[in-house]
Amino acid sequence: MLIAFNKPMNVLSQFTSEGGWPGLADYIDIPKVYAAGRLDRDSEGLLLLTDNGKLQARIASPKAKLPKTYLVQVEGAPDEAALSALKQGVMLKDGRTRPAKVRAVPAPDLWPRTPPVRVRKTVPDSWIELTITEGKNRQVRRMCATVGCPCLRLVRWRIGSWSLEGLAPGEWRQMPENNRKN
């Protein structure tokens, strides 16, 4: 079984609640499924859960290099140098990231975030689509900050060819495990 879940902001990627933050059990009442990877509490979007250990390992393993695509609202507007640096890979404290696919995109038609992103009148914001093939801790946020465009909102949209398409925050649906593109 494979489940696609649209994890809302401020929900933990574990079944137990902790520190006043809700866990996955508040949304998914299916026994013996486990998250294949994680999303930080302050990130939103696609979280895959499965009862298949081999599939879980394939999705979560950095060795599989499964592409993960994020829609990222950043402070400022990344110039060509910033986008080029992300494409080549940037140096973080724990090493250089693999090259990423990145492009500036118009503001996507997403659900309202709770709480809303704090907007500063004197600083513009913009959106990028960023695809990585690894998963270092808070990697997308750190990559964006490294090129001078701090992350304001982070939504994972796709893992391989599994997508968040059509799922509202807090909703889930069963997905086919065998996806030819994965």
Side-chain angles (χ1 to χ4, degrees):
M1 172 183 299
L2 180 67
I3 293 170
F5 174 58
N6 187 348
K7 186 190 91 58
M9 179 159 170
N10 291 326
V11 172
L12 303 176
S13 292
Q14 61 191 36
F15 276 88
T16 54
S17 300
E18 190 176 295
W21 304 110
L24 299 175
D26 292 294
Y27 297 89
I28 300 169
D29 187 21
I30 298 175
K32 298 182 182 175
V33 294
Y34 302 94
R38 302 183 62 82
L39 267 179
D40 295 325
R41 179 184 54 79
D42 55 350
S43 298
E44 310 164 70
L46 182 60
L47 186 63
L48 295 175
L49 299 100
T50 183
D51 60 353
N52 179 329
K54 287 183 180 179
L55 179 60
Q56 180 185 24
R58 186 166 59 93
I59 293 168
S61 172
K63 292 178 184 175
K65 298 182 183 177
L66 197 61
K68 296 166 187 75
T69 300
Y70 298 83
L71 298 173
V72 189
Q73 184 180 15
V74 295
E75 190 172 278
D79 59 17
E80 280 307 313
L83 295 176
S84 179
L86 292 170
K87 286 176 185 174
Q88 294 172 27
V90 296
M91 183 58 75
L92 303 176
K93 288 181 182 177
D94 54 349
R96 181 167 290 282
T97 64
R98 290 183 189 144
K101 292 181 182 175
V102 63
R103 64 186 179 111
V105 295
D109 184 22
L110 295 173
W111 54 89
R113 191 184 85 170
T114 304
V117 171
R118 190 179 74 176
V119 178
R120 297 184 346 190
K121 292 180 182 179
T122 59
V123 180
D125 63 84
S126 57
W127 287 84
I128 61 172
E129 180 184 271
L130 181 68
T131 301
I132 61 173
T133 57
E134 58 192 335
K136 297 179 182 199
N137 185 42
R138 298 183 70 81
Q139 179 176 340
V140 171
R141 292 179 187 281
R142 294 187 299 141
M143 288 174 73
C144 291
T146 297
V147 299
C149 296
C151 180
L152 300 172
R153 185 175 182 187
L154 181 62
V155 179
R156 183 161 58 199
W157 190 258
R158 181 177 301 282
I159 299 173
S161 60
W162 291 297
S163 169
L164 192 61
E165 191 83 33
L167 280 177
E171 291 184 350
W172 62 270
R173 71 171 165 255
Q174 194 163 345
M175 304 289 280
E177 285 186 30
N178 296 327
N179 201 320
R180 288 177 285 135
K181 296 178 184 175
N182 294 325

